Amino acid sequence: MAPPNLHRFANPGQFLRLSGRILPWLTWGGLIFTVLGLGWGLFVAPADWQQGDAVRIIYLHVPAAWLASAGYFGLAVCAVLSFVWRHPLADLAAAELGPVGAGATALCLATGSLWGKPMWGAWWVWDARLTSMLVLLFLYLGHIALIRAFDNPERGYRAAAILALIGAVDLPVIKFSVDWWNTLHQPATFKFTSAPTMYQGMMWPLLISALGFSLGFGAIVTARLRAAVMERRIRGLLMARAQEAA
Amino acid sequence: MDHLTYIIASYGLAVAMVAAYGITAWARMGRARRQLTAIDPRGRDRT
């Protein structure tokens, strides 16, 4: 049985109506805050005294890293919603969230590599943070592949949901890898236990960029999920007509 | 601005990825909406 507050979103028609109202806010909010954050980071924020202008990659890299982890957490939440409450949209949401999360992870790895080359002198090192993030990309790819691997979509969704739950173990490993091991990657900029040490002129564009990327990520996933819900309805209507005709 | 090549590559890649995901998502949504409206005109106000 679904908890009361989830019943509202379980009906696909209700979801389409609600998401249709939310989507423009997510889209325009994402665009405005992303342009503002990246523009501020690129042209107004100061260069780092050690890293020079290469530090400006942080305004892309950190939001991509945050969304990579948050997206996978979303997959795990969808898996719980699917297994425990049989929420009718949970599996569809996971199927649409996975490719976007994989894109964020790939962007995080690529921008990290482009940042690492001038700073570390290497495109890639087998550092704990980088390696655990690469594992996350493989988990995403596995999730996408499992959904498409079965003739019966329900079996694909089940298998992918199991992988999403097991793979969630990687999330704390990513988060704490810089504390648990000696890594070339810098320690966390934002911690739960202490105030950020980052210069405010760099912190604000980073936070605004992260907000913009998050809203944009939400907009893309919502648009994909709306499309998936409508496609499912089209398939259902066409099948019903075919049965009537037979 | 130093390390300009790396910065341009990073921002270019990000813009290209976001644009690709955004355009494909909205194109897919628009196609589904048109198909659904064609099959079931009553569903127009639900999408």
Side-chain angles (χ1 to χ4, degrees), chain A residues 5 34 40 57 74 81 90 111-112 123 157 161 169 205 220 240-241:
Chain A
N5 58 337
T34 302
W40 189 349
I57 297 174
L81 287 174
T111 53
W123 295 105
Y157 288 141
V169 172
I220 290 171
R241 283 189 187 178

Side-chain angles (χ1 to χ4, degrees), chain A residues 2-53:
Chain A
N5 58 337
L6 290 177
H7 275 303
R8 223 181 132 203
F9 309 106
N11 180 312
Q14 180 76 4
F15 167 78
L16 285 176
R17 275 191 294 275
L18 188 67
S19 62
R21 284 201 288 270
I22 293 171
L23 189 56
W25 292 95
L26 289 174
T27 307
W28 287 108
L31 276 173
I32 290 167
F33 283 112
T34 302
V35 169
L36 184 66
L38 293 185
W40 189 349
L42 260 181
F43 303 113
V44 182
D48 185 73
W49 70 282
Q50 275 186 317
Q51 302 188 29
D53 287 303

